[in-house]
């Protein structure tokens, strides 16, 4: 027998061998097989092997991966929604992951640089500052969290309002409080606090929506008066008001194309801030 | 970005399509990007000349769309269309060898040009390997067109592929070495091409100047 055919036989045997290993390695985490029935370790192979004929050949033996894997393998952690098999989504997810890592490196360098100069300044002036400049130590680094936050930021930035905003107001002209600022995804925040910051940021951005209705100007005044900066920094805990109560105030903002989650927010905030405006 | 139409080799298209492609290159928001991606893929599968450099026009459209609207529509459609064809590559090969060879040329070209943050697209690494492994199988080695495609692609993207997955490159070269040494009925040209690629990788994806001269001589005396 030539080495050539021997090698092929060996390769095939290895594949079969790997296939029987595949599900067993993971099946201790899964109580049930694909058809829903409870299974033992030995059973797993038979159920799963039957499916092989239907699988996409790109996921077959070359990767030594069993087709019934529920967790796709990739270069790093994968979110639960990352189970998309189409190349378009895979590349997009991969790109976002790389962008986040690159941002993280840049941010770290920036913070460390800023911290260093601050420490020098403090040392030379002889004062002992508080520890609130230690952002480098207290940075959010969980990839899943950063990816989720980046996605939320991307939704806000992919709007006409945002495009118009950055064209109209260059960064150095931004006034804190008046002009929306993208939440910093590297700071540690609770999930609620972060989600609320994103909501408020997007609400503020609506002030730059392309002119569609005459109610536009009224919205601008309302939003600017709200002075949301106080609200942005604290952890927000709104009482659960039902939607029927919210529709009392007929803000033009409802008639614009706003995501459902935003409908309640401007009204709630207005209610809280109203005493200040008066 | 100021490449003339000739650089993208779009002369093979009819005039209307040429106009559509030129618009896509300058102002992607004005065209139906799904349609454009289908046009490009269809042509790549038919036209060997176009498939060799179609990656370039795709790259430019992707960049233009990203810059203009931060969008990924074209890239997504292109990749998913590639994936569709990939799933049915065995049937494609049985139907038309030329189409299959064009497909492999095209997907390798895309792999070469379309990078994500200057890194090759991870999603394409395994599919490209699958294609090259198919070309290294005994029945494919009997066709000079397939062998030619295989060595050309390895010259272009072999080093990148190896960096992305060294083990699979080893597996591929096991097949190539076996084919070169043992396969009966291989044409002399095929054997020569295989030997050259074996030496090329052994030399670190480069041919030393002396080796290059030797190869030129042996090809001349061919």
């Amino acid at each position: 027998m030539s080495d050539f055919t021997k090698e092929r036989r060996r390769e095939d045997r290895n594949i079969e061998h790997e296939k029987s290993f595949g599900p067993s390695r993971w099946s201790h985490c899964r109580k049930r097989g694909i058809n829903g029935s409870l299974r033992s370790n030995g059973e797993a192979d038979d159920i799963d092997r039957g499916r092989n004929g239907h699988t996409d050949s790109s996921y077959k033996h070359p990767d030594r991966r069993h087709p019934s894997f529920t967790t796709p393998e990739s270069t790093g952690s994968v979110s639960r929604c990352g189970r998309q098999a189409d190349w378009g989504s895979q590349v997009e997810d991969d790109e976002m992951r790389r962008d986040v890592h690159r941002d993280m490196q840049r941010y770290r360098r920036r913070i460390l640089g800023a911290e260093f100069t601050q420490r020098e300044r403090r040392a030379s002036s002889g004062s002992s500052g508080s520890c609130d400049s230690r952002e480098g130590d207290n940075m959010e680094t969980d990839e899943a969290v950063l990816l989720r936050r980046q996605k939320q930021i991307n939704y806000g930035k992919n709007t006409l309002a945002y495009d118009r905003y950055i064209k109209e107001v260059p960064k150095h002209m931004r006034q804190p409080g008046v002009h929306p600022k993208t939440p910093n995804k590297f700071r540690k925040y609770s999930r609620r606090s972060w989600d609320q910051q994103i909501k408020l940021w997007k609400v503020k951005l609506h002030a730059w929506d392309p002119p569609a209705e005459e109610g536009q100007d009224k919205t601008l005044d309302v939003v600017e008066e709200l002075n949301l900066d106080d609200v942005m920094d604290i952890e927000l805990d709104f009482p659960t008001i039902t939607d029927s109560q919210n529709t009392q105030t007929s803000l033009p903002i409802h008639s614009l194309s706003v995501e459902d989650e935003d409908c309640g927010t401007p009204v709630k905030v207005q209610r809280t801030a109203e005493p200040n405006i008066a | 970005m100021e490449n003339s139409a000739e650089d993208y080799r779009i002369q093979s298209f009819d005039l209307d399509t040429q106009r559509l492609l030129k618009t896509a290159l300058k102002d992607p928001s004005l065209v139906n990007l799904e349609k454009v991606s289908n046009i490009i893929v269809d042509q790549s599968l038919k036209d060997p000349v176009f498939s060799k450099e179609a990656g370039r026009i795709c790259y430019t459209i992707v960049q233009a769309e990203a810059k203009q609207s931060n969008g990924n529509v074209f890239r997504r459609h292109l990749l998913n269309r590639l994936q569709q064809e990939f799933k049915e590559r065995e049937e494609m090969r049985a139907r038309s060898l030329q189409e299959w060879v064009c497909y492999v040329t095209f997907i390798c070209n895309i792999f070469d040009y379309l990078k994500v943050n200057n890194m090759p697209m991870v999603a394409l690494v395994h599919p490209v390997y699958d294609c090259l492994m198919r070309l290294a199988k005994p029945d494919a080695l009997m066709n000079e067109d397939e062998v030619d495609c295989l060595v050309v692609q390895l010259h272009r993207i072999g080093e990148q592929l190896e960096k992305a997955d060294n083990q699979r490159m080893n597996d591929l070269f096991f097949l190539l070495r076996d084919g070169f040494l043992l396969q009966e009925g291989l044409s002399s040209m095929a054997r020569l091409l295989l030997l050259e690629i074996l030496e090329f990788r052994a030399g670190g994806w480069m041919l030393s100047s002396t080796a290059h001269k030797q190869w030129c001589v042996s090809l001349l005396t061919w």
Side-chain angles (χ1 to χ4, degrees), chain A residues 175-195:
Chain A
Q175 300 165 37
V178 174
H179 293 128
K181 184 173 166 204
T182 309
N184 182 343
K185 65 178 177 276
F186 291 114
R187 289 220 192 113
K188 289 260 190 204
Y189 293 115
S190 71
R191 176 74 187 262
R192 291 173 54 111
S193 168
W194 171 263
D195 287 349

Side-chain angles (χ1 to χ4, degrees), chain A residues 162 165-176 178-181:
Chain A
Y162 185 77
Y165 168 53
I166 53 177
K167 274 192 202 125
E168 191 177 303
V169 187
K171 266 196 181 160
H172 62 270
M173 303 261 291
R174 286 194 196 167
Q175 300 165 37
V178 174
H179 293 128
K181 184 173 166 204

Side-chain angles (χ1 to χ4, degrees), chain A residues 150-252:
Chain A
Q150 185 62 58
K151 241 184 232 176
Q152 289 171 293
I153 291 173
N154 289 346
Y155 286 140
K157 287 191 173 180
N158 278 347
T159 54
L160 288 169
Y162 185 77
D163 278 346
R164 296 179 81 232
Y165 168 53
I166 53 177
K167 274 192 202 125
E168 191 177 303
V169 187
K171 266 196 181 160
H172 62 270
M173 303 261 291
R174 286 194 196 167
Q175 300 165 37
V178 174
H179 293 128
K181 184 173 166 204
T182 309
N184 182 343
K185 65 178 177 276
F186 291 114
R187 289 220 192 113
K188 289 260 190 204
Y189 293 115
S190 71
R191 176 74 187 262
R192 291 173 54 111
S193 168
W194 171 263
D195 287 349
Q196 198 62 37
Q197 287 182 54
I198 286 284
K199 264 193 204 174
L200 296 172
W201 171 64
K202 294 204 308 199
V203 164
K204 271 184 150 180
L205 283 175
H206 277 302
W208 278 267
D209 275 346
E213 294 149 288
E214 50 173 20
Q216 191 65 29
D217 291 338
K218 200 165 153 202
T219 315
L220 258 160
D221 293 340
V222 165
V223 171
E224 271 166 22
E225 279 181 31
L226 285 179
N227 191 18
L228 297 167
D229 208 47
D230 308 325
V231 181
M232 285 283 269
D233 289 336
I234 58 171
E235 169 128 312
L236 300 164
D237 197 2
F238 289 120
T240 45
I241 311 170
T242 60
D243 274 345
S244 55
Q245 284 178 277
N246 291 343
T247 50
Q248 282 170 29
T249 322
S250 53
L251 259 186

Side-chain angles (χ1 to χ4, degrees), chain B residues 34-188:
Chain B
E34 179 176 2
K35 183 172 169 198
V36 171
S37 68
N38 281 331
I39 288 174
I40 292 179
V41 175
D42 289 337
Q43 187 66 15
S44 302
L45 296 179
K46 283 191 289 206
D47 182 351
V49 172
F50 185 67
S51 66
K52 285 204 173 82
E53 282 296 322
R56 186 107 67 77
I57 190 173
C58 292
Y59 173 75
T60 310
I61 297 178
V62 169
Q63 295 295 105
E65 194 195 340
K67 188 169 174 201
Q68 189 180 53
S69 61
N70 215 24
N72 272 328
V73 173
F74 175 75
R75 187 178 70 182
R76 203 180 332 125
H77 282 299
L78 176 70
L79 288 171
N80 291 343
R81 179 70 201 280
L82 272 177
Q83 187 177 17
Q84 257 181 312
E85 302 291 336
F86 177 77
K87 284 190 181 143
E88 298 176 2
R89 63 194 183 282
E90 206 52 54
E91 292 88 325
M92 189 201 288
R93 183 176 180 272
R95 186 174 61 231
S96 158
L97 260 187
Q98 184 183 274
E99 199 180 326
W100 159 242
V101 167
C102 282
Y103 176 76
V104 180
T105 308
F106 182 52
I107 190 176
C108 291
N109 204 237
I110 293 292
F111 179 81
D112 195 12
Y113 274 104
L114 255 56
K115 299 277 200 327
V116 167
N117 292 348
N118 294 325
M119 296 282 289
M121 292 192 275
V122 174
L124 289 188
V125 172
H126 281 305
V128 166
Y129 267 120
D130 288 345
C131 289
L132 297 181
M133 294 287 269
R134 182 63 185 85
L135 290 175
K137 290 226 165 95
D139 59 345
L141 292 179
M142 301 298 280
N143 300 321
E144 266 181 33
D145 289 336
E146 291 188 84
V147 180
D148 188 74
C149 177
L150 175 62
V151 301
V152 167
Q153 299 319 315
L154 281 174
H155 270 105
R156 288 192 71 155
I157 61 172
E159 196 171 0
Q160 298 177 54
L161 275 177
E162 188 184 61
K163 225 179 276 175
D165 190 333
N166 195 39
Q167 185 51 49
R168 285 205 79 181
M169 189 54 82
N170 291 340
D171 295 343
L172 177 63
F173 270 72
F174 288 148
L175 284 183
L176 296 182
R177 196 170 303 125
D178 281 350
F180 170 77
L181 290 173
L182 307 160
Q183 184 154 335
E184 291 175 9
L186 222 49
S187 74
S188 306

